[in-house]
Amino acid sequence: MRGTKVFRSAAGETTRWLRQRPLLVPRPGKTWYLSAVALAVLATGAGTQIAVAQITALPADAAFRIHDTMLTEQQLTDRVRALEALYGVRRPDDPAAVDRFNRDSAKAVAVSEILDSAAEEEGVVIPEKAAQDELEKLLTQTYPAGRGDFIARLGQVGLSEPEVLAEIRRQLTNATLFDQVTRDIPPVTDADVQQAYDTRRDEMAEPEKRHVRNIVVASEVEARNAVDRLKAGEDFGAVARSVSLDGSTKDKGGDLGTAVRQQLDPGYGDEAFRAAANSVFGPVETQHGWNVGQILEVTPAVPLSLEQVRDPLRQKLEGERRLGRWNGWLGEKIRAAEVEYAPRYRPADPDAPPGDVPR
């Protein structure tokens, strides 16, 4: 089920690998997800820095500069391609979405460069075997057809396996840094858990679940054709078997199984959880294509007792404390880096701290 086109994969979005780590338990009914790319946060600073940037303008082919280190557009593209090969991220077609994708990608890679320098300062070294083991795990999860499928994907995007290993090693380094920076946070007490439960009682529920079927095709026109066929009375499963590109669900009539909102691609999930039971929704564009969905069954949310949520709530509170410590530490690193972006790559909020944990 997690291999389906609308489920968020191990690094769905450009850098889910960079942004998500199973430390925070999503609050039922809330979306704990990451916008397009990862780790966010850059600092281009205020007036003085802007004046200096005008004097020392970036070269025409530059994406950004950190002190005396410059990353070109081609180098940025190569880094993003590695993430595409690892996680199957598809660049959007909509011009506005492309602009946001480029800015988010530059921000993620700039923060990654900052973390590389921090890791060197802290003496963090990832053994080659650890990176190899992580690659094998990723191949098992993301490329069920085997290594040949992975190698073919690398050829399509013009990457080599060593380049992918370098990206994996970088993410493992980030995770190690996170653990080092956050290892001495104060423990979460029983009183902390009780207070959090009382404060967030309306969120303490088994989230609503929906049994979903899905068809994924390559274009909006094909998706609308599928909708027309369904409105004309054709069986959803039959249409899915005839046109869907999702090999993991096509033979099952597009059946995704039961999912909570947080398991789905954000845009697709919004539509799926607005739709009525037994209805068809879409087309909805995701990273992997155009989707038409059907809701087979709705299971309402169920309130949970303190005993039922005590352990996951404790983990969530611990995660929030660790994330707060990490944000403060990384924010200082970013401000000190004085990142200069080419205007077309400058993120919308370069000074914002990262919202999620590096994996």
Coordinates of all heavy atoms in Angstrom, one line a residue, residues 200-273:
R200 N -4.7 19.4 24.9 CA -4.9 19.0 23.5 C -6.0 17.9 23.4 O -6.0 17.1 22.5 CB -3.6 18.5 22.9 CG -2.4 19.4 23.1 CD -1.1 18.8 22.5 NE 0.0 19.5 22.9 CZ 1.3 19.3 22.5 NH1 1.5 18.3 21.6 NH2 2.3 20.0 22.8
R201 N -6.9 17.9 24.4 CA -7.8 16.8 24.5 C -8.6 16.6 23.2 O -9.0 15.5 22.8 CB -8.8 17.0 25.6 CG -9.7 15.8 26.0 CD -10.6 16.2 27.1 NE -9.9 16.4 28.3 CZ -9.6 15.4 29.2 NH1 -10.0 14.2 29.0 NH2 -9.0 15.7 30.3
D202 N -8.9 17.8 22.5 CA -9.7 17.7 21.3 C -9.0 17.0 20.2 O -9.5 16.6 19.1 CB -10.2 19.0 20.8 CG -9.1 20.0 20.6 OD1 -8.0 19.8 21.1 OD2 -9.3 21.0 19.8
E203 N -7.6 16.9 20.3 CA -6.8 16.2 19.3 C -6.6 14.8 19.6 O -6.0 14.0 18.8 CB -5.5 17.0 19.2 CG -5.6 18.4 18.8 CD -4.3 19.1 19.0 OE1 -3.2 18.5 19.2 OE2 -4.3 20.4 19.0
M204 N -6.9 14.4 20.8 CA -6.6 13.0 21.3 C -7.7 12.1 20.8 O -8.6 11.7 21.5 CB -6.5 12.9 22.8 CG -5.4 13.8 23.4 SD -3.7 13.3 22.9 CE -3.3 14.6 21.8
A205 N -7.5 11.6 19.6 CA -8.6 10.8 19.0 C -7.9 9.9 17.9 O -6.9 10.2 17.3 CB -9.7 11.6 18.3
E206 N -8.5 8.7 17.8 CA -8.1 7.8 16.7 C -8.6 8.5 15.4 O -9.8 8.8 15.3 CB -8.8 6.4 16.8 CG -8.4 5.5 15.7 CD -7.0 5.0 15.8 OE1 -6.4 5.0 16.9 OE2 -6.4 4.6 14.8
P207 N -7.7 8.9 14.5 CA -8.2 9.7 13.4 C -9.1 9.0 12.4 O -9.2 7.8 12.4 CB -6.8 10.0 12.6 CG -5.9 8.9 13.0 CD -6.3 8.5 14.4
E208 N -9.9 9.8 11.8 CA -10.8 9.3 10.7 C -10.0 8.5 9.7 O -8.9 8.9 9.3 CB -11.5 10.5 10.1 CG -12.5 10.1 9.0 CD -13.2 11.3 8.4 OE1 -13.6 12.2 9.1 OE2 -13.3 11.3 7.1
K209 N -10.6 7.4 9.3 CA -10.0 6.6 8.2 C -10.9 6.5 7.0 O -12.1 6.5 7.2 CB -9.7 5.2 8.8 CG -8.8 5.1 9.9 CD -8.5 3.7 10.3 CE -7.6 3.5 11.6 NZ -8.3 4.0 12.8
R210 N -10.3 6.3 5.9 CA -11.1 6.2 4.6 C -10.5 5.1 3.8 O -9.3 5.0 3.6 CB -11.1 7.5 3.9 CG -11.8 8.6 4.7 CD -12.2 9.8 3.8 NE -13.2 10.6 4.6 CZ -14.1 11.3 4.0 NH1 -14.2 11.3 2.7 NH2 -15.0 11.9 4.7
H211 N -11.4 4.2 3.3 CA -11.0 3.2 2.4 C -11.1 3.8 1.0 O -12.1 4.2 0.5 CB -12.0 2.0 2.5 CG -11.5 0.8 1.7 ND1 -12.2 -0.4 1.8 CD2 -10.5 0.6 0.9 CE1 -11.6 -1.3 1.0 NE2 -10.6 -0.7 0.4
V212 N -9.9 3.8 0.3 CA -9.8 4.5 -1.0 C -9.4 3.6 -2.1 O -8.6 2.7 -2.0 CB -8.7 5.6 -0.8 CG1 -8.7 6.5 -2.1 CG2 -9.0 6.5 0.4
R213 N -10.0 3.9 -3.3 CA -9.5 3.3 -4.5 C -9.0 4.5 -5.4 O -9.5 5.6 -5.3 CB -10.6 2.5 -5.3 CG -11.0 1.3 -4.6 CD -11.7 0.3 -5.5 NE -13.0 0.7 -5.9 CZ -13.9 -0.1 -6.6 NH1 -13.5 -1.3 -6.9 NH2 -15.1 0.4 -6.9
N214 N -8.0 4.2 -6.2 CA -7.3 5.2 -7.0 C -6.9 4.8 -8.4 O -6.5 3.7 -8.6 CB -6.1 5.7 -6.3 CG -5.5 6.9 -6.9 OD1 -6.1 8.0 -7.1 ND2 -4.2 6.8 -7.4
I215 N -7.1 5.7 -9.3 CA -6.6 5.6 -10.7 C -5.5 6.7 -10.9 O -5.8 7.8 -10.6 CB -7.7 5.7 -11.7 CG1 -8.7 4.6 -11.5 CG2 -7.2 5.7 -13.2 CD1 -10.0 4.8 -12.3
V216 N -4.4 6.3 -11.4 CA -3.4 7.3 -11.8 C -3.0 7.2 -13.2 O -2.8 6.1 -13.8 CB -2.1 7.2 -10.9 CG1 -1.5 5.8 -11.0 CG2 -1.1 8.3 -11.2
V217 N -3.0 8.4 -13.9 CA -2.7 8.4 -15.3 C -1.8 9.6 -15.6 O -1.4 10.3 -14.7 CB -4.0 8.6 -16.2 CG1 -4.9 7.4 -16.2 CG2 -4.8 9.8 -15.7
A218 N -1.3 9.7 -16.8 CA -0.2 10.7 -17.1 C -0.7 12.1 -17.3 O 0.1 13.0 -17.1 CB 0.6 10.2 -18.3
S219 N -1.9 12.3 -17.7 CA -2.3 13.7 -18.0 C -3.7 14.0 -17.5 O -4.5 13.1 -17.1 CB -2.4 13.9 -19.5 OG -3.4 13.1 -20.1
E220 N -4.0 15.3 -17.4 CA -5.4 15.7 -16.9 C -6.4 15.2 -17.9 O -7.5 14.9 -17.5 CB -5.4 17.2 -16.8 CG -6.7 17.7 -16.2 CD -6.7 19.2 -16.0 OE1 -5.7 19.9 -16.4 OE2 -7.7 19.7 -15.4
V221 N -6.1 15.3 -19.2 CA -7.1 14.8 -20.2 C -7.5 13.4 -19.9 O -8.7 13.0 -19.9 CB -6.6 15.0 -21.6 CG1 -7.5 14.3 -22.6 CG2 -6.4 16.5 -21.9
E222 N -6.5 12.5 -19.7 CA -6.8 11.1 -19.4 C -7.6 10.9 -18.1 O -8.4 10.1 -18.0 CB -5.5 10.3 -19.4 CG -4.7 10.2 -20.7 CD -3.3 9.6 -20.5 OE1 -2.4 10.3 -20.0 OE2 -3.2 8.4 -20.8
A223 N -7.2 11.8 -17.1 CA -8.0 11.7 -15.9 C -9.4 12.0 -16.0 O -10.3 11.4 -15.5 CB -7.3 12.6 -14.8
R224 N -9.7 13.1 -16.8 CA -11.1 13.5 -17.0 C -11.8 12.5 -17.9 O -13.0 12.3 -17.7 CB -11.1 14.9 -17.7 CG -10.6 16.0 -16.8 CD -11.0 17.4 -17.2 NE -10.4 18.4 -16.3 CZ -11.0 18.7 -15.1 NH1 -12.1 18.0 -14.7 NH2 -10.5 19.6 -14.3
N225 N -11.1 11.8 -18.8 CA -11.8 10.7 -19.5 C -12.2 9.6 -18.6 O -13.3 9.0 -18.7 CB -10.8 10.2 -20.6 CG -10.7 11.2 -21.8 OD1 -11.5 12.0 -22.0 ND2 -9.6 11.0 -22.5
A226 N -11.3 9.3 -17.6 CA -11.7 8.3 -16.6 C -12.9 8.7 -15.8 O -13.8 7.9 -15.5 CB -10.5 8.0 -15.7
V227 N -12.9 10.0 -15.4 CA -14.1 10.5 -14.6 C -15.4 10.3 -15.5 O -16.4 9.9 -15.0 CB -13.9 11.9 -14.2 CG1 -15.2 12.5 -13.7 CG2 -12.7 12.0 -13.2
D228 N -15.3 10.7 -16.8 CA -16.5 10.6 -17.6 C -16.9 9.1 -17.7 O -18.1 8.8 -17.7 CB -16.1 11.1 -19.0 CG -15.9 12.6 -19.0 OD1 -16.4 13.3 -18.1 OD2 -15.3 13.1 -20.0
R229 N -16.0 8.2 -17.8 CA -16.4 6.8 -17.9 C -17.1 6.3 -16.6 O -18.1 5.6 -16.6 CB -15.1 5.9 -18.1 CG -14.5 6.1 -19.5 CD -13.2 5.3 -19.7 NE -13.4 3.9 -19.5 CZ -12.4 3.0 -19.6 NH1 -11.2 3.4 -19.9 NH2 -12.7 1.7 -19.5
L230 N -16.6 6.8 -15.5 CA -17.2 6.4 -14.2 C -18.6 7.1 -14.1 O -19.5 6.4 -13.6 CB -16.3 6.9 -13.0 CG -14.9 6.2 -13.0 CD1 -14.0 6.9 -12.0 CD2 -15.1 4.7 -12.6
K231 N -18.7 8.3 -14.5 CA -20.0 9.0 -14.4 C -21.0 8.3 -15.3 O -22.2 8.3 -15.1 CB -19.9 10.4 -14.8 CG -19.2 11.3 -13.7 CD -19.2 12.7 -14.1 CE -18.6 13.6 -13.0 NZ -18.5 15.0 -13.5
A232 N -20.5 7.7 -16.4 CA -21.4 7.0 -17.3 C -21.8 5.6 -16.8 O -22.6 4.9 -17.5 CB -20.7 6.8 -18.7
G233 N -21.3 5.2 -15.7 CA -21.7 4.0 -15.0 C -20.7 2.8 -15.0 O -21.0 1.7 -14.5
E234 N -19.5 3.0 -15.6 CA -18.5 1.9 -15.6 C -18.0 1.7 -14.2 O -17.9 2.6 -13.3 CB -17.4 2.3 -16.5 CG -17.7 2.3 -18.0 CD -16.4 2.3 -18.9 OE1 -15.5 1.4 -18.6 OE2 -16.4 3.1 -19.8
D235 N -17.7 0.4 -13.9 CA -17.1 0.1 -12.6 C -15.7 0.7 -12.4 O -14.9 0.6 -13.3 CB -17.1 -1.5 -12.5 CG -16.4 -1.9 -11.2 OD1 -17.1 -1.7 -10.2 OD2 -15.3 -2.4 -11.3
F236 N -15.5 1.2 -11.2 CA -14.2 1.8 -10.9 C -13.1 0.9 -11.1 O -12.1 1.2 -11.7 CB -14.3 2.4 -9.5 CG -13.1 3.3 -9.2 CD1 -13.2 4.7 -9.3 CD2 -11.8 2.8 -8.8 CE1 -12.1 5.5 -9.0 CE2 -10.8 3.6 -8.6 CZ -10.9 5.0 -8.7
G237 N -13.3 -0.4 -10.5 CA -12.2 -1.3 -10.6 C -11.8 -1.7 -12.0 O -10.7 -1.9 -12.4
A238 N -12.8 -1.8 -12.9 CA -12.6 -2.1 -14.3 C -11.8 -1.0 -15.0 O -10.9 -1.3 -15.8 CB -13.9 -2.4 -15.0
V239 N -12.2 0.2 -14.7 CA -11.5 1.4 -15.3 C -10.1 1.4 -14.8 O -9.1 1.7 -15.6 CB -12.2 2.7 -15.0 CG1 -11.4 3.9 -15.6 CG2 -13.6 2.7 -15.6
A240 N -9.9 1.2 -13.5 CA -8.5 1.2 -13.0 C -7.6 0.1 -13.6 O -6.5 0.4 -14.0 CB -8.5 1.0 -11.5
R241 N -8.2 -1.1 -13.8 CA -7.4 -2.1 -14.4 C -7.1 -1.8 -15.9 O -6.1 -2.3 -16.4 CB -8.2 -3.5 -14.3 CG -8.1 -4.1 -13.0 CD -8.7 -5.5 -12.9 NE -10.2 -5.4 -12.9 CZ -10.9 -5.3 -11.7 NH1 -10.2 -5.4 -10.6 NH2 -12.2 -5.2 -11.8
S242 N -7.9 -1.0 -16.5 CA -7.7 -0.7 -18.0 C -6.7 0.4 -18.2 O -6.0 0.4 -19.2 CB -9.0 -0.5 -18.7 OG -9.6 0.7 -18.2
V243 N -6.7 1.4 -17.3 CA -5.9 2.6 -17.6 C -4.9 3.0 -16.6 O -4.0 3.8 -16.8 CB -6.8 3.8 -17.9 CG1 -7.8 3.5 -19.0 CG2 -7.6 4.3 -16.6
S244 N -5.0 2.5 -15.3 CA -4.1 3.1 -14.3 C -2.7 2.7 -14.5 O -2.3 1.6 -14.9 CB -4.6 2.5 -12.9 OG -3.8 3.1 -11.9
L245 N -1.8 3.6 -14.2 CA -0.3 3.4 -14.3 C 0.3 2.9 -13.0 O 1.5 2.6 -13.0 CB 0.3 4.7 -14.7 CG -0.1 5.4 -16.0 CD1 0.6 6.7 -16.2 CD2 0.1 4.5 -17.2
D246 N -0.5 2.8 -12.0 CA 0.1 2.3 -10.7 C 0.1 0.8 -10.6 O -0.9 0.2 -10.4 CB -0.8 2.9 -9.5 CG -0.2 2.6 -8.2 OD1 0.8 1.9 -8.1 OD2 -0.7 3.1 -7.2
G247 N 1.3 0.3 -10.9 CA 1.4 -1.2 -11.0 C 1.1 -1.9 -9.7 O 0.7 -3.1 -9.7
S248 N 1.2 -1.2 -8.5 CA 1.0 -1.9 -7.2 C -0.5 -2.0 -6.9 O -0.8 -2.8 -6.0 CB 1.7 -1.1 -6.1 OG 1.2 0.2 -6.0
T249 N -1.4 -1.3 -7.6 CA -2.8 -1.3 -7.3 C -3.7 -1.6 -8.5 O -4.8 -1.9 -8.4 CB -3.3 0.0 -6.7 OG1 -3.2 1.0 -7.6 CG2 -2.5 0.3 -5.4
K250 N -3.1 -1.5 -9.7 CA -3.9 -1.7 -10.9 C -4.7 -3.0 -10.9 O -5.9 -3.0 -11.2 CB -3.0 -1.6 -12.1 CG -3.7 -1.7 -13.5 CD -2.7 -1.5 -14.6 CE -3.4 -1.7 -15.9 NZ -2.5 -1.3 -17.1
D251 N -4.0 -4.1 -10.6 CA -4.6 -5.4 -10.7 C -5.6 -5.6 -9.6 O -6.4 -6.6 -9.6 CB -3.6 -6.5 -10.7 CG -2.7 -6.5 -12.0 OD1 -3.2 -5.9 -13.0 OD2 -1.6 -7.1 -11.9
K252 N -5.6 -4.7 -8.6 CA -6.6 -4.8 -7.5 C -7.7 -3.8 -7.7 O -8.4 -3.4 -6.7 CB -5.9 -4.6 -6.2 CG -4.8 -5.6 -5.8 CD -4.2 -5.4 -4.4 CE -3.4 -4.1 -4.4 NZ -2.8 -3.9 -3.0
G253 N -7.9 -3.3 -8.9 CA -8.9 -2.4 -9.2 C -8.7 -1.0 -8.6 O -9.6 -0.3 -8.3
G254 N -7.4 -0.7 -8.3 CA -7.0 0.6 -7.8 C -7.1 0.7 -6.3 O -7.0 1.8 -5.7
D255 N -7.3 -0.4 -5.6 CA -7.6 -0.4 -4.1 C -6.3 -0.1 -3.4 O -5.3 -0.7 -3.4 CB -8.1 -1.8 -3.7 CG -8.7 -1.8 -2.3 OD1 -8.5 -0.8 -1.6 OD2 -9.4 -2.8 -1.9
L256 N -6.4 1.1 -2.6 CA -5.3 1.5 -1.8 C -5.4 1.0 -0.4 O -4.5 1.1 0.4 CB -5.3 3.1 -1.7 CG -5.0 3.8 -3.0 CD1 -5.1 5.3 -2.7 CD2 -3.7 3.5 -3.6
G257 N -6.6 0.5 0.0 CA -6.8 0.1 1.4 C -7.3 1.2 2.2 O -7.7 2.3 1.7
T258 N -7.2 1.1 3.5 CA -7.6 2.1 4.4 C -6.5 3.0 4.9 O -5.4 2.5 5.2 CB -8.3 1.5 5.7 OG1 -9.4 0.7 5.2 CG2 -8.8 2.5 6.6
A259 N -6.7 4.3 4.9 CA -5.6 5.3 5.2 C -6.2 6.4 6.1 O -7.4 6.8 6.0 CB -5.0 5.8 3.9
V260 N -5.3 7.0 6.9 CA -5.6 8.2 7.6 C -5.1 9.4 6.7 O -4.3 9.2 5.8 CB -5.0 8.3 9.0 CG1 -5.6 7.1 9.8 CG2 -3.5 8.2 8.9
R261 N -5.5 10.5 7.0 CA -5.2 11.7 6.2 C -3.7 11.9 6.1 O -3.2 12.2 5.0 CB -5.8 13.0 6.8 CG -5.4 14.3 6.2 CD -5.9 14.4 4.8 NE -5.4 15.6 4.1 CZ -4.1 15.6 3.6 NH1 -3.3 14.6 3.6 NH2 -3.7 16.7 3.0
Q262 N -2.9 11.7 7.1 CA -1.5 12.0 7.1 C -0.7 11.0 6.2 O 0.4 11.3 5.9 CB -0.9 11.9 8.5 CG -1.3 13.1 9.4 CD -2.6 12.8 10.2 OE1 -3.3 11.8 9.8 NE2 -3.0 13.6 11.2
Q263 N -1.3 9.9 5.9 CA -0.6 9.0 5.0 C -0.6 9.3 3.5 O 0.1 8.7 2.8 CB -1.2 7.6 5.2 CG -0.9 6.9 6.5 CD -1.6 5.6 6.7 OE1 -2.8 5.5 6.8 NE2 -0.8 4.5 6.5
L264 N -1.5 10.3 3.2 CA -1.7 10.6 1.8 C -1.0 11.8 1.4 O -0.7 12.7 2.2 CB -3.2 10.8 1.5 CG -4.1 9.5 1.8 CD1 -5.5 9.9 1.7 CD2 -3.7 8.4 0.9
D265 N -0.6 11.9 0.1 CA -0.1 13.2 -0.5 C -1.1 14.3 -0.1 O -2.3 14.2 -0.1 CB -0.1 13.0 -2.0 CG 0.4 14.3 -2.7 OD1 -0.5 15.2 -3.0 OD2 1.6 14.4 -2.9
P266 N -0.5 15.5 0.3 CA -1.4 16.5 0.9 C -2.5 16.9 0.0 O -3.7 17.0 0.5 CB -0.4 17.7 1.1 CG 0.9 17.0 1.3 CD 0.9 15.8 0.4
G267 N -2.3 17.2 -1.3 CA -3.4 17.6 -2.1 C -4.4 16.5 -2.4 O -5.6 16.8 -2.3
Y268 N -3.9 15.3 -2.6 CA -4.8 14.2 -2.7 C -5.6 13.9 -1.5 O -6.8 13.7 -1.5 CB -4.0 13.0 -3.1 CG -4.8 11.8 -3.5 CD1 -5.2 11.5 -4.8 CD2 -5.2 10.8 -2.5 CE1 -6.0 10.4 -5.1 CE2 -6.0 9.7 -2.8 CZ -6.4 9.5 -4.1 OH -7.1 8.4 -4.4
G269 N -4.9 14.0 -0.3 CA -5.6 13.8 0.9 C -6.7 14.8 1.2 O -7.8 14.4 1.7
D270 N -6.5 16.0 0.9 CA -7.5 17.1 1.0 C -8.8 16.7 0.3 O -9.9 16.8 0.9 CB -7.0 18.4 0.5 CG -6.0 19.0 1.4 OD1 -5.8 18.6 2.5 OD2 -5.3 20.0 0.9
E271 N -8.6 16.2 -0.9 CA -9.8 15.9 -1.7 C -10.5 14.6 -1.2 O -11.7 14.5 -1.1 CB -9.4 15.7 -3.2 CG -9.0 17.0 -3.9 CD -10.1 18.0 -4.0 OE1 -11.2 17.6 -4.1 OE2 -9.7 19.2 -3.8
A272 N -9.6 13.6 -0.8 CA -10.1 12.3 -0.4 C -10.9 12.5 0.9 O -12.0 11.8 1.1 CB -9.0 11.3 -0.2
F273 N -10.5 13.4 1.8 CA -11.2 13.5 3.1 C -12.3 14.6 3.0 O -13.0 14.8 4.0 CB -10.2 13.8 4.2 CG -9.6 12.6 4.7 CD1 -8.7 11.8 4.0 CD2 -10.0 12.1 6.0 CE1 -8.2 10.6 4.4 CE2 -9.4 10.9 6.5 CZ -8.5 10.2 5.7

